[in-house]
Amino acid sequence: MASGRCKVQRLSLQNFGNRLHVVANLCDHNSAIYFARTFSQPVYSYPFNTDIFRADKEKLDFVHWLQQPEKGRNRLFLRFINQFIPAPATIGVCGTTVNSGVTHFSISLCNFLHSRFLARTAYLEVNSSHEIAALSSKKDPTIPFRCNGVSYYPEITLRQLREQLHLQHKYKILDFGVLTPYSFPEFVRCDYCIVLTNVSIWKDRQLLQFIEELKKTNLGKDYKTNVRFMSMGNLKKDRKRVETSYGIRVIPVPFLENPFQVSSHDFGFFEQIWKGKQLSH
């Protein structure tokens, strides 16, 4: 019966000819292939960001393009990328110095994973800053809360962390802030490790100390491939100097104006983080 209905639907859709455009909103690659084959129609991607009420230039261009699709072959949905980060996964984020942008980046990453994949995502504050509670409307600052679809768990102690890692979320982002001798082992146990650093020359001592500590962990020399180093707002020449001096790659982090509204223009940056060598260990 199901196959019969599909044939009828396919014939009905074909009657529309070039007047019909199949537009996918938050659809994955395999689903796009299924619909394209089932209905013998190309599937196009609708520009997406987390602010559904704002019609930006990319969305307006897409609507205008619908009136002249022969110019828009590059909008085929099949250019979309599969869910390239295996789930479930824990992603540890830390900084080599204070004010490295760890919390800002972690929140942005949470909203990217939730928006791009519609995945259940949790933010865990595994540091003593007590900052994330400012987002909550609850009287008790330690009670978990949700914001824009992401679950937030404030003030998680290392003793509580093991229990929290059993949460039923596809992605758990662990904001470690600046690591301590006690949180360092938990950081390197994460499936993916991201380090935000300041590559200014007067911050070299902190970066060197951090690398020396990494070498003492079970990562050993593999830290160069299993850890992603990133820098926010530093000059290219400083990144190149650090890369040459320490033999690591430093990924520049773009200006993420609002960590709660990650636009489609920023998706490429987050996707690039996981390209190249496998990060898991």
Side-chain angles (χ1 to χ4, degrees), residues 1-7 9:
M1 279 295 289
S3 61
R5 280 198 300 268
C6 284
K7 289 179 181 178
Q9 290 171 335

Side-chain angles (χ1 to χ4, degrees), residues 10-265:
R10 181 162 57 244
L11 290 173
S12 299
L13 290 172
Q14 287 174 346
N15 291 333
F16 284 94
N18 293 332
R19 293 179 296 146
L20 178 70
H21 307 298
V22 181
V23 179
N25 185 28
L26 295 177
C27 184
D28 62 41
H29 187 82
N30 291 330
S31 297
I33 294 175
Y34 168 79
F35 286 114
R37 288 177 176 171
T38 300
F39 302 119
S40 299
Q41 294 286 337
V43 178
Y44 300 95
S45 60
Y46 179 71
F48 175 74
N49 58 39
T50 54
D51 189 350
I52 62 175
F53 298 103
R54 183 167 58 94
D56 56 21
K57 184 178 183 301
E58 189 177 7
K59 293 177 182 177
L60 292 174
D61 287 346
F62 179 81
V63 174
H64 294 154
W65 165 81
L66 284 178
Q67 301 172 11
Q68 43 184 351
E70 65 279 358
K71 296 182 179 180
R73 294 185 183 276
N74 63 334
R75 292 184 181 271
L76 280 174
F77 185 89
L78 300 186
R79 68 188 175 124
F80 263 34
I81 300 173
N82 280 329
Q83 188 163 321
F84 46 81
I85 311 173
T90 56
I91 303 173
V93 185
C94 76
T96 56
T97 62
V98 296
N99 299 322
S100 296
V102 174
T103 299
H104 190 99
F105 177 85
S106 298
I107 294 174
S108 299
L109 180 57
C110 285
N111 282 281
F112 162 73
L113 293 170
H114 173 70
S115 302
R116 181 67 171 84
F117 303 129
L118 287 185
R120 293 190 63 190
T121 305
Y123 168 98
L124 281 71
E125 185 182 45
V126 196
N127 60 72
S128 58
S129 66
H130 311 302
E131 294 176 339
I132 207 66
L135 301 176
S136 174
S137 59
K138 300 181 183 298
K139 292 183 179 180
D140 186 346
T142 65
I143 295 178
F145 62 93
R146 285 172 63 83
C147 180
N148 290 356
V150 175
S151 301
Y152 289 84
Y153 294 83
E155 302 182 25
I156 300 298
T157 66
L158 292 177
R159 184 172 296 179
Q160 296 170 325
L161 183 58
R162 283 291 157 191
E163 179 181 343
Q164 299 295 337
L165 290 179
H166 293 293
L167 293 170
Q168 297 300 311
H169 291 80
K170 281 193 173 182
Y171 299 111
K172 304 176 189 69
I173 313 303
L174 280 59
D175 178 352
F176 284 96
V178 177
L179 294 176
T180 68
Y182 302 102
S183 60
F184 222 115
E186 297 298 333
F187 172 71
V188 298
R189 285 193 189 101
C190 292
D191 298 312
Y192 303 94
C193 300
I194 295 175
V195 178
L196 287 163
T197 185
N198 187 320
V199 295
S200 299
I201 192 168
W202 55 86
K203 296 290 186 178
D204 277 7
R205 183 172 59 86
Q206 289 96 325
L207 177 57
L208 179 59
Q209 289 177 344
F210 185 89
I211 291 176
E212 291 302 317
E213 290 299 319
L214 269 181
K215 291 178 180 178
K216 297 176 185 177
T217 67
N218 60 336
L219 294 179
K221 296 180 180 179
D222 291 334
Y223 76 88
K224 292 184 179 181
T225 55
N226 288 333
V227 176
R228 283 293 184 266
F229 289 88
M230 302 184 192
S231 176
M232 301 179 78
N234 291 116
L235 297 176
K236 182 177 180 180
K237 65 177 183 179
D238 289 326
R239 292 198 306 273
K240 294 298 181 184
R241 177 185 56 79
V242 167
E243 290 177 340
T244 302
S245 300
Y246 301 108
I248 59 176
R249 180 191 174 207
V250 180
I251 302 172
V253 179
F255 176 62
L256 302 168
E257 181 177 4
N258 187 342
F260 300 99
Q261 294 182 357
V262 181
S263 71
S264 56
H265 300 291

